[in-house]
Amino acid sequence: MVKPKLPKIDIRYEEIEEAAHVADTYGEIINEVVDEIVVRACGQLDEAMADIQDVVSQNPVDVSDLNYFIGYLPTLLYFAADRAEMVGIQMDSSSAIRKEKYDNLYVLAAGKTIPDKQAETRKLVMNEEVIESAYKRAYKKVQSKLEQADKVLASLKRIQTWQLAEMETQSNNSRGVLNVKRNRRQND
């Protein structure tokens, strides 16, 4: 059985490097826009997460700090969720704007064939496409932060429960309650 010969691929490293540079440049632009949107939507939540990280890294964790964040975090999540929906609306709007501009420019495109007209029109709506992509990424990022913050809240509640149980055990030990219970079991 004869194996077919694969065509030789002509790799031009300069073109690859140039394409990578262009992709990096566009990526940086989109990242800047995404970061700006996410900070507006989740800035307070991010600050609270940094504070929570400081609190939970302490040993032992201060119960009053836990109580504060367990009470405060749902409020932050409430307002951040509202801002997330605003980002979703902006995402939908940017998509509609891009599509409308594309349609309007497609009619005016000078190409003779459909692919020519599409190519010309895509070039003219590149900025709108970048903004649409940025809002899509920002929306995903905000949603992810909300999900993670919800997990942090659940973790804080578990730490609080553990801390309270530990405090109760220590209190019972200091009063000799556990020793009395053990002595009763041994005598029974």
Side-chain angles (χ1 to χ4, degrees):
M1 181 181 220
V2 177
K3 290 186 181 181
K5 285 188 173 183
L6 295 174
K8 186 175 180 178
I9 299 173
D10 185 22
I11 297 176
R12 292 180 289 265
Y13 291 104
E14 301 84 30
E15 290 178 15
I16 291 172
E17 287 175 358
E18 183 180 332
H21 176 70
V22 170
D24 289 345
T25 302
Y26 276 101
E28 288 172 12
I29 293 168
I30 292 174
N31 273 334
E32 286 179 27
V33 175
V34 168
D35 288 345
E36 184 179 315
I37 295 166
V38 171
V39 165
R40 280 194 313 240
C42 295
Q44 289 178 311
L45 185 61
D46 288 339
E47 290 171 12
M49 286 296 143
D51 292 342
I52 289 169
Q53 184 178 17
D54 291 341
V55 167
V56 297
S57 66
Q58 297 171 7
N59 193 10
V61 177
D62 186 2
V63 175
S64 63
D65 288 339
L66 283 175
N67 291 338
Y68 171 76
F69 284 112
I70 288 171
Y72 183 53
L73 197 51
T75 305
L76 287 176
L77 286 167
Y78 173 83
F79 289 110
D82 185 53
R83 289 187 295 272
E85 288 307 310
M86 293 304 295
V87 172
I89 290 168
Q90 291 168 323
M91 178 183 70
D92 294 341
S93 297
S94 66
S95 178
I97 290 167
R98 183 197 52 79
K99 287 176 185 174
E100 180 182 9
K101 186 172 180 180
Y102 180 91
D103 291 344
N104 291 339
L105 291 172
Y106 184 82
V107 172
L108 302 173
K112 294 181 180 178
T113 65
I114 291 175
D116 291 341
K117 290 179 115 180
Q118 289 172 336
E120 182 182 338
T121 306
R122 274 195 305 270
K123 288 178 189 174
L124 296 173
V125 295
M126 185 62 71
N127 291 336
E128 287 76 11
E129 191 143 340
V130 167
I131 295 299
E132 181 183 5
S133 294
Y135 275 112
K136 284 179 181 178
R137 296 284 180 191
Y139 184 74
K140 288 179 183 178
K141 203 168 183 180
V142 169
Q143 289 297 328
S144 175
K145 284 180 180 263
L146 290 174
E147 290 170 13
Q148 296 307 315
D150 197 43
K151 290 177 183 178
V152 168
L153 179 59
S155 293
L156 291 176
K157 289 178 181 179
R158 284 192 298 273
I159 293 170
Q160 181 192 44
T161 300
W162 176 78
Q163 287 280 50
L164 292 174
E166 192 71 22
M167 287 170 47
E168 184 178 331
T169 301
Q170 288 175 357
S171 175
N172 287 339
N173 264 346
S174 66
R175 291 184 292 166
V177 173
L178 292 179
N179 290 332
V180 171
K181 287 182 181 179
R182 280 190 208 129
N183 290 338
R184 279 190 208 156
R185 285 188 203 139
Q186 289 174 352
N187 293 336
D188 290 338

